[in-house]
């Protein structure tokens, strides 16, 4: 098992995949490593569902933290191309979170759900001892649509083009500069640019926009393991080769400088808000134009090819790109948080 973050493929295949409870015919897409959602068949309609932890970081502002937590959950349904429509949410709150603070969190979630057409249908909310931020619960998002409209995670086909929104490490850099910018020995303009990246961590509307403009054949949000992980997971699902041009991958302002300063590879770092898309060549211009209309940066970074041996691989400028064993932004966060705690104790 990996040391931090999601369980690795070997553990999943050995312990999780063979043990999935009852075998039911209505499960159209079940748990698969690297896949963001599951699908049930309900009377001929597709119910897309996904579950994620809730992460609330008060230090970035309660309203922004609540929007971020919600978008992370809803995005795993949105990448199916089906709009999220229902939400089940569970809060296990720290004892020190006040009623007023939780009211701000809840009212922000309500407003964002209302804007997206998402109804909260059930949940649980309570305070518990030994709970601390950021992990304060979990939620399940659902969406109902036609099976034919689903963008399957394993749907990339040879000939498709690869598009990337925003770019690597926007989430990691946005969080690290917002939380610990005063500890980074970098120019003020770099810190400011890094903090601006935190406004790019929202991907639900981008995913639905791209799917509507398509045809999009596969879509993955760039979370733990970063762009390297997302490419490998999508290529593995498709049994294909992803040929990526490094120079074409967009790098948002402040990202390279912050990652170099902290000594980690932006391609391996979590980047909520960035989407990796496989798009039919006939749809590339339409998808790019639709995202540009939302002021979302997007670039064509490569293509999908048939793998020689029927397996899968990711090549960047002809060299093999492996799936990261651990997300390096976690170590950077832990080190900076530890330094901050030491200073507050001294």
């Amino acid at each position: 098992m990996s040391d931090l973050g999601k369980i690795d493929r070997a553990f999943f295949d050995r312990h999780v995949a063979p043990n999935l409870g009852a075998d039911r015919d209505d499960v159209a897409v079940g748990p698969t490593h690297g896949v963001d959602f599951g699908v049930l068949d309900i009377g001929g309609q597709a119910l897309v569902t996904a579950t994620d932890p809730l992460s609330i970081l008060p230090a970035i502002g309660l309203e922004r933290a609540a929007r971020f937590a919600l978008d992370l959950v809803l995005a795993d349904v949105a990448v199916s191309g089906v709009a999220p429509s229902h939400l089940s949410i569970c809060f296990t709150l720290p004892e020190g979170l006040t009623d007023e603070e939780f009211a701000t969190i809840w009212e922000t979630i309500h407003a964002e759900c209302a804007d997206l057409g998402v109804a909260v249908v059930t949940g649980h909310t309570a305070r518990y001892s030994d709970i601390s931020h950021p992990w304060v619960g979990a939620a399940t998002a659902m969406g109902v649509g036609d099976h034919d409209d689903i963008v399957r995670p394993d749907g990339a086909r040879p000939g498709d083009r690869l598009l990337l929104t925003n770019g690597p490490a926007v989430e990691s850099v946005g969080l690290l500069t917002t939380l610990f910018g005063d500890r980074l020995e970098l120019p003020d303009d770099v810190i400011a640019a890094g903090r601006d990246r935190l406004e790019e961590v929202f991907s639900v509307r981008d995913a639905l926009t791209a799917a509507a403009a398509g045809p999009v054949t596969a879509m993955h949000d760039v979370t733990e393991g970063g762009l390297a992980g997302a490419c490998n997971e999508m290529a593995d699902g498709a049994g294909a080769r992803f040929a990526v041009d490094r120079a074409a991958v967009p790098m948002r302002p402040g990202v390279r400088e912050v990652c170099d300063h902290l000594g980690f590879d932006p391609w391996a770092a979590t980047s909520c808000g960035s989407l990796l898309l496989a798009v039919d060549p006939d749809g590339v211009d339409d998808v790019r134009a639709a995202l540009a209309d939302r002021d979302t940066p997007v670039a064509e970074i490569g293509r999908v090819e048939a793998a020689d041996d029927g397996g899968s691989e990711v090549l960047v400028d002809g060299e093999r790109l492996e799936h990261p064993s651990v997300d390096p932004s976690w170590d950077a966060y832990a080190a900076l948080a530890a330094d901050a705690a030491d200073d507050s104790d001294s």
Side-chain angles (χ1 to χ4, degrees), residues 18-77:
N19 302 298
L20 298 175
D23 185 11
R24 294 183 56 95
D25 293 337
D26 55 0
V27 178
V29 177
T32 306
H33 190 264
V35 175
D36 298 310
F37 57 85
V39 181
L40 301 179
D41 180 79
I42 308 295
Q45 286 287 96
L47 173 63
V48 182
T49 182
T51 299
D52 275 294
L54 285 174
S55 173
I56 299 288
L57 282 167
I60 67 172
L62 288 175
E63 293 183 4
R64 182 160 56 179
R67 287 181 59 221
F68 184 23
L70 177 66
D71 194 271
L72 184 66
V73 174
L74 299 182
D76 278 354
V77 168

Side-chain angles (χ1 to χ4, degrees), residues 16-309:
V16 178
N19 302 298
L20 298 175
D23 185 11
R24 294 183 56 95
D25 293 337
D26 55 0
V27 178
V29 177
T32 306
H33 190 264
V35 175
D36 298 310
F37 57 85
V39 181
L40 301 179
D41 180 79
I42 308 295
Q45 286 287 96
L47 173 63
V48 182
T49 182
T51 299
D52 275 294
L54 285 174
S55 173
I56 299 288
L57 282 167
I60 67 172
L62 288 175
E63 293 183 4
R64 182 160 56 179
R67 287 181 59 221
F68 184 23
L70 177 66
D71 194 271
L72 184 66
V73 174
L74 299 182
D76 278 354
V77 168
V79 294
S80 75
V82 173
S85 56
H86 299 83
L87 182 71
S88 170
I89 191 164
C90 171
F91 281 101
T92 55
L93 301 173
E95 292 179 285
L97 188 76
T98 68
D99 286 354
E100 292 76 14
E101 289 170 330
F102 182 65
T104 297
I105 292 169
W106 185 257
E107 289 164 9
T108 301
I109 287 174
H110 152 72
E112 188 72 352
C113 281
D115 189 62
L116 287 166
V118 175
V120 178
V121 293
T122 189
H124 172 89
T125 304
R127 291 185 177 90
Y128 297 93
S129 59
D130 298 325
I131 296 292
S132 60
H133 294 291
W135 308 112
V136 296
T140 295
M142 293 158 276
V144 179
D146 295 330
H147 285 280
D148 291 342
D149 292 337
I150 292 175
V151 179
R152 291 185 57 92
D154 58 357
R157 305 166 302 192
D160 288 345
R161 300 297 186 261
L162 296 172
L163 304 185
L164 179 67
T165 66
N166 291 319
V170 294
E171 175 201 355
S172 300
V173 168
L175 286 173
L176 292 171
T177 51
T178 299
L179 296 172
F180 307 112
D182 58 343
R183 297 181 172 276
L184 304 178
E185 296 179 0
L186 288 167
D188 290 345
D189 62 329
V190 172
I191 298 298
R195 288 172 171 163
D196 286 344
R197 305 285 68 77
L198 206 53
E199 296 305 314
E200 298 173 347
V201 298
F202 308 104
S203 61
V204 170
R205 292 172 178 83
D206 286 343
L208 298 176
T209 295
V216 175
T217 60
M219 186 161 31
H220 199 349
D221 55 344
V222 181
T223 53
E224 290 173 39
L227 179 58
C231 285
N232 274 279
E233 289 167 6
M234 270 182 56
D236 184 56
R241 176 190 299 121
F242 281 19
V244 178
D245 176 6
R246 184 178 294 275
V249 172
M251 198 71 68
R252 300 293 288 146
V255 168
R256 173 62 68 187
E257 295 90 337
V258 172
C259 291
D260 286 349
H261 180 70
L262 292 173
F264 67 82
D265 179 5
W267 282 47
T270 184
S271 189
C272 290
S274 297
L275 292 170
L276 178 66
L277 305 102
V279 182
D280 184 284
D282 291 339
V284 169
D285 289 343
D286 289 340
V287 170
R288 295 189 68 170
L291 290 168
D293 284 345
R294 285 188 37 76
D295 294 325
T296 298
V298 58
E300 183 175 335
I301 67 167
R303 61 194 180 278
V304 181
E305 302 175 344
D308 295 334
D309 58 0

